[in-house]
Amino acid sequence: MHFLPEELDNYVVQHSQQEPTLLKELSRETWQKVLNPRMLSGAFQGRVLSMISKLIAPKTILEIGTYTGYSALCLAEGLQQDGKLYTIDKNEELEELQSKYFEKSSFSNQIQQYIGNAIDIIPTIEDKFDLVFIDADKSNYLNYFNLIIDKMNTGGVILSDNVLWSGKVVEKLDEKDIDTKVLLEYNRLLNEDERLETVLLPIRDGLTISRVK
C-alpha cells in the first residue's frame, strides 16, 4: 500500500540507500519461487529496518516471522559484533531458502533459526531483547506482545509491521475479520501502554516503533 503519489514514492526510494547485492538476489529468488512474494519487506523498508537497527546497535534481536530471511538480514546489519539474532517462522518449506542466504551473508554465525510456533518457542529463549520485529500472523500480535514485553531490555525497541493493514484499520469493521479486529486493539495497546513510547509511521503498510521506558 502506497500513501504517496508514485512519482514522490519513486523519488524517496531513489534518494535512499540502495539495497545490498545479496538482498537483491534474495528478493529476485523470492519473487521467482515463493508464494505471496508481496510479504517481502522490500528494498526501501529493508533499508529503514537496517537504519533503525544500526542506530540501536542491539546485542540481541528477536524476529517473529522470518519468511525468506530478507528482513532478518537487514536487521542483522546493526548487530553488535558478538550479537545474536533469533528468527522464528512456522513454514518449514522456507527453511532451506532462509539458510541459503544466511550462510551467504557475513552474519551466518549470529543468526539462530527456529521453525515452529512462536508462541511455544519464545518462552524457551533465555536472552532478553534490545530489538524485536513482529511481522507474522496478525491474529496473534497481542499474544506475541504479551510474550515479549517482559523480555525487553530498558530502552529496547519493538517494531510492528503491517499495522495499517491496507487501510482496513480506518474502514468499517467486519466482525468476522479477526486480523483487523486484533490490529485495532494492538495499535491501541501500543499507544496507551504506559511502559512504552510509540510512534506509528506510514511506511509501506504501516510500521510502528515502540520504545520500552
Side-chain angles (χ1 to χ4, degrees):
M1 184 174 182
H2 293 283
F3 298 95
L4 292 175
E6 185 176 0
E7 187 176 4
L8 270 179
D9 192 69
N10 290 337
Y11 184 87
V12 169
V13 172
Q14 290 164 7
H15 290 79
S16 299
Q17 184 189 33
Q18 299 302 296
E19 65 182 335
T21 301
L22 181 64
L23 292 180
K24 287 182 181 178
E25 294 175 9
L26 173 52
S27 179
R28 189 180 308 115
E29 187 164 352
T30 299
W31 279 90
Q32 289 172 344
K33 299 180 179 179
V34 182
L35 289 174
N36 301 317
R38 288 182 69 251
M39 290 171 60
L40 200 71
S41 287
F44 175 67
Q45 185 174 350
R47 292 305 85 204
V48 172
L49 295 177
S50 169
M51 180 67 76
I52 292 172
S53 185
K54 288 172 180 174
L55 290 170
I56 296 169
K59 186 166 185 179
T60 50
I61 300 175
L62 172 66
E63 177 183 55
I64 306 172
T66 316
Y67 191 47
T68 58
Y70 189 101
S71 52
L73 289 171
C74 293
L75 293 167
E77 292 177 28
L79 271 175
Q80 294 181 25
Q81 196 166 15
D82 59 346
K84 191 82 174 175
L85 185 151
Y86 305 92
T87 184
I88 307 169
D89 201 281
K90 63 182 179 181
N91 189 347
E92 60 185 22
E93 294 179 1
L94 295 176
E95 183 177 14
E96 186 176 343
L97 182 58
Q98 297 163 10
S99 297
K100 173 182 174 181
Y101 282 90
F102 291 161
E103 289 301 322
K104 282 185 174 185
S105 78
S106 57
F107 312 110
S108 59
N109 294 328
Q110 295 177 276
I111 297 176
Q112 173 69 56
Q113 291 172 262
Y114 292 92
I115 301 297
N117 189 330
I119 291 175
D120 297 327
I121 294 170
I122 292 169
T124 71
I125 300 174
E126 295 183 359
D127 265 335
K128 298 190 76 174
F129 308 116
D130 298 313
L131 177 60
V132 172
F133 182 43
I134 303 176
D135 185 19
D137 51 322
K138 312 311 161 193
S139 61
N140 271 313
Y141 267 35
L142 289 166
N143 294 326
Y144 297 144
F145 176 84
N146 289 328
L147 283 171
I148 65 162
I149 187 61
D150 291 330
K151 294 171 74 70
M152 298 296 301
N153 288 317
T154 301
V157 170
I158 302 168
L159 302 175
S160 308
D161 201 15
N162 304 115
V163 291
L164 294 179
W165 208 222
S166 299
K168 291 181 183 179
V169 291
V170 294
E171 297 173 357
K172 184 177 179 181
L173 179 64
D174 178 349
E175 289 300 322
K176 296 179 182 178
D177 185 351
I178 302 301
D179 287 342
T180 302
K181 187 181 293 188
V182 170
L183 279 174
L184 287 168
E185 187 176 346
Y186 181 73
N187 289 341
R188 184 165 54 250
L189 169 66
L190 293 185
N191 191 42
E192 296 177 356
D193 194 308
E194 294 184 353
R195 294 169 292 184
L196 303 174
E197 298 168 305
T198 290
V199 59
L200 196 163
L201 304 177
I203 293 174
R204 206 163 175 251
D205 195 24
L207 179 70
T208 299
I209 303 176
S210 302
R211 179 182 177 272
V212 179
K213 295 179 183 178

